[in-house]
Amino acid sequence: MKVHPEEQTVFEVCLVVPKRKTKKEDATCDCVEVLENSFRKVGFIVERIDGVTDEFMKLAAPLEVLGKAAARLEMKKRTHIGMDLLFELDEVDAFVRQPDGSLFSWSERFRCYDHLIYGIVNENQSAVTLKCDEEEFQWKIGESLVRTLESKKIVKQIFPLHDEIRRKKLLGNWALNWWNLTGQPIDEVYSYFGAKIALYFAFLGMYTQWMLFPAALGLILQLVEFGSLRLLVLPIFFISIILWAIMFSQFWKRKNSALIARWQINYTFGGDPGYRLSGVDCTSLQVPVELIKDQEMDKRKEKEAFQKIEWFGRLRRVRNDAIVILSIICLQLPFELAYAHCYEVIQSDVIKFGLTVLYLFAIQYFTRLGAKMSVKLINCENYDNNEKRADSLVYKVFGLYFMQSYIGVFYHALLHRNFTTLRQVLVQRLLISEVLENVLENSLPYLKYSYRKYKVRSKKRLEKGSPQGKILFTSRAEKEYLKPSYSASIGVELEDGLFDDCLELALQFGMIMMFASAFPLAFAFAALNNIAEIRTDALKLLAIYKRPFPRAATTIGAWLNIFQFLIVMSICTNCALLVWLYDQEGKWKIEPGLAAILVMEHVLLLLKFGFSRLVPEEPAWVKANRVKKAAQAQDIYSKQLLRTISGGEKALNNVKKTE
C-alpha cells in the first residue's frame, strides 16, 4: 500500500488513564498493560507518557491499518470516475485523495480510530480477570475492552490530539493572519477539523465579505447629510439591503454545493455518524426493529403500529413546541417588557447603560435555563436521525433567544416610535453583546484551563505531602487534556460548540436587518466584529480548546432556514419603520408615500420567494458532475446485473443437463 508524501503517521488520538499506585510485576493481568498490548496487536503505534497525576496513551494508525478498518466498515469513497464505491485496500489508486493529499479525511480517519479502539473484544472462551491496583474485575466474553474500562472509570477520556505542525501552520496563515481580512484556507480547515466546522467558517467568511457592501452604504448614510432627501434615501437603502440579503442566501447555497463537490462528500448523506447526544438512547426513539423483522405480523396491524409510532412522535413534538412557546409568553415576555419600559422612563444615560449590562447578564442565565429544558424535551421526541434532532433543538432554542434579543427593541420601535431611543438601544445591544460574547467565549475557557491546572497541582502537592517546588506540565497531551471541550454553552448534550457561534451570527443578522432603516451604521459595526470573529473563533479552536471531534455535514443545517426567516421578518419590520417615519402624526392616511411602502413590501416578499427560481442552488458544473456520476453508476450496475442474471441462467442449465 503506497503512502503519499503528504500522509505521515502522527499521533491523533489520546486515552487518559490514572496513574497506578503500585507497580505490578504480572503484566498479563494489569488492565492498562493489556490495553496497550491489545492496541499494538490491532496495529496502533502506542506511546505512553507519565503526567502529573494521570498517564496518557497516544495512538497513531499507519495508513494500512486505517485502510483495513475502512474496508471492514464498508466505507464508501469517491473514485476517479466520479462514483462512490466501497473502499478496498488493494485498489487505493482508484480512489480520489483529499485536498491535502491524504487518502482519508479527518472524519473518516476518526471513524476508523473509533472502530479500532472500541472493536477490541474478548474473543476467549471465558471471562478474563483484570486488575487495576488492588481492584479486580471481569472482562466478559464479547465485551469491548475500552467500554469495560470506561465503566470502571479507568479510561477517563478519549480525545483527538492536535497535530503540532499543522496547528502552527494554521495559526500563522489563518488565526493570526490579519492581512487578508476575509480570506481563509478553507480546504486546510476542512482537512484538519472536518466538514461541519469548515462549512461554518466558509459561511462566516462569505457573510463577512458580503457585509462590506451594506457597511459602506451605512457609512455613507451616516456621514453624508441628505436633509429632506433622507426620507427618500432610506427606502432605497432598505431595498438594497433586502436584495443583498436575498442574493447572499442564494449564492451561499451555490458555494455550499461547490465546497461539498470539491471535498468529495456524498450528496446522499443522511445522518451524522459522529454526532451523538450524551445520555440518549437513540435506538429507543426509532421505529422498533422487531416490527420490521416479524414476518408473521398481519399487514394491517403492522400498518397501524407504524402509524401509531409516527403520529405519537408528531404529537410529542407539537406538545414540546407548545411548552416552549407558552414558557416564552408567560415567563420571558413580562420580564422583557418590564426592562423595555424601565429603559423608556429612565432619564439618565449612565443608569440606562448599567441597566442594559445587568439585563444582558440576567437574561443570558434565564435563557440558558430554557435552552437546557429544550434539550430535555427533545429527548422525548422521535426523529429519523440525530441531524433532525439537532435541527429541532436549534429551532426551539432560537425561539427563546429571539424573544430575549428582540422584544425590547420591538417595544421601542413599534409602541413608542422613539427612533432616538431605538438607536441608543441598538448601539448598546450591538456593542455590549458583541464585546461581552467575545470576551466570555475566549476568557472563560482559559480560566477553566487555568483552574484545572491549579487543581491538578494542588492534588499532586497533597500526594507528595510537601508544598515546595513548582509543578510543571511538560507533556503536550496532558496540556490538551486539561483544556475544555468545544461544546455548547447550553449543555454538553450537543457536544458541538458551533451552536453558540452560529447563534451569535443569527442574532446579529436579525438585529442589523430588522432595524436597518433605523440604524444603517449597524452594518459597519457588524462587519468589524465579524472580521475579528473569524480570528477569535479560529484561535480558540487551535489554542484554547481541545481539538474538536469531527462532525460530518453537507450544510449549516437549520441555521440557513433561520436566516431566511429573518429576511422575511426584516421586510415586514423595515416597512413598518418606514411607514412610521412618513406617518409622524399617526393618522394612518393612505397617502402616496405610505401606499408605495405597502406595495414595496409585497414586491420584496415576492422577490424573496421568486429569486430562488432565478439563481439555481448549485453551479452548473456541480450538477453536470452529479448527473454524470449517476449515469455511470446506472450503466455499471446494469451491466453487473445482466452478468449476474446470465450467469445464473447458465448455472441452472448446467444443473439440468447433469440431471
Side-chain angles (χ1 to χ4, degrees), residues 270-473:
D272 189 344
Y275 195 99
R276 295 188 298 272
L277 292 176
S278 177
V280 180
D281 183 9
C282 297
T283 57
S284 64
L285 301 174
Q286 307 296 330
V287 177
V289 179
E290 58 267 17
L291 291 180
I292 302 172
K293 292 183 177 179
D294 191 357
Q295 300 296 327
E296 299 178 357
M297 177 180 286
D298 181 73
K299 292 295 183 181
R300 182 178 59 82
K301 292 182 179 180
E302 182 182 1
K303 180 179 178 181
E304 290 176 356
F306 276 104
Q307 288 178 339
K308 183 178 179 181
I309 293 169
E310 176 188 6
W311 287 105
F312 268 98
R314 292 182 181 274
L315 289 174
R316 280 196 295 268
R317 291 198 289 271
V318 171
R319 179 203 64 187
N320 294 342
D321 292 340
I323 291 174
V324 173
I325 293 171
L326 289 175
S327 299
I328 292 173
I329 295 173
C330 299
L331 301 177
Q332 199 169 10
L333 183 59
F335 180 77
E336 299 286 346
L337 293 177
Y339 158 75
H341 179 71
C342 291
Y343 192 95
E344 189 72 30
V345 298
I346 292 174
Q347 300 298 324
S348 173
D349 290 338
V350 176
I351 297 177
K352 285 182 178 180
F353 182 82
L355 179 66
T356 302
V357 173
L358 290 174
Y359 160 77
L360 289 176
F361 272 108
I363 201 61
Q364 285 289 331
Y365 175 75
F366 288 116
T367 307
R368 286 180 181 178
L369 285 179
K372 290 180 179 180
M373 181 186 70
S374 300
V375 172
K376 292 182 179 180
L377 286 175
I378 66 163
N379 292 345
C380 305
E381 298 178 6
N382 183 13
Y383 290 97
D384 295 336
N385 53 53
N386 288 324
E387 188 179 7
K388 292 183 179 179
R389 184 189 307 280
D391 288 348
S392 174
L393 180 61
V394 166
Y395 291 133
K396 287 180 174 64
V397 176
F398 180 77
L400 295 170
Y401 278 89
F402 181 88
M403 181 66 68
Q404 172 252 313
S405 300
Y406 304 128
I407 190 63
V409 187
F410 284 140
Y411 178 85
H412 299 295
L414 306 183
L415 294 181
H416 287 274
R417 302 193 192 183
N418 190 335
F419 277 75
T420 302
T421 305
L422 177 59
R423 291 189 186 98
Q424 289 180 354
V425 171
L426 289 172
V427 170
Q428 291 181 7
R429 287 290 187 91
L430 283 171
L431 290 178
I432 296 174
S433 62
E434 298 289 356
V435 172
L436 185 64
E437 286 292 335
N438 283 326
V439 169
L440 290 178
E441 72 181 13
N442 290 284
S443 61
L444 284 180
Y446 180 77
L447 292 175
K448 289 180 181 178
Y449 173 55
S450 301
Y451 178 68
R452 288 177 181 176
K453 289 198 295 184
Y454 168 76
K455 285 182 65 178
V456 171
R457 287 192 177 108
S458 300
K459 183 180 178 182
K460 188 65 177 177
R461 288 193 182 100
L462 290 175
E463 289 178 0
K464 286 184 176 181
S466 173
Q468 300 296 326
K470 187 176 181 180
I471 298 173
L472 299 177
F473 298 94

Side-chain angles (χ1 to χ4, degrees), residues 251-263:
F251 276 94
W252 160 250
K253 294 177 184 177
R254 291 173 59 83
K255 182 171 183 176
N256 192 130
S257 300
L259 288 173
I260 295 303
R262 192 165 80 207
W263 295 337

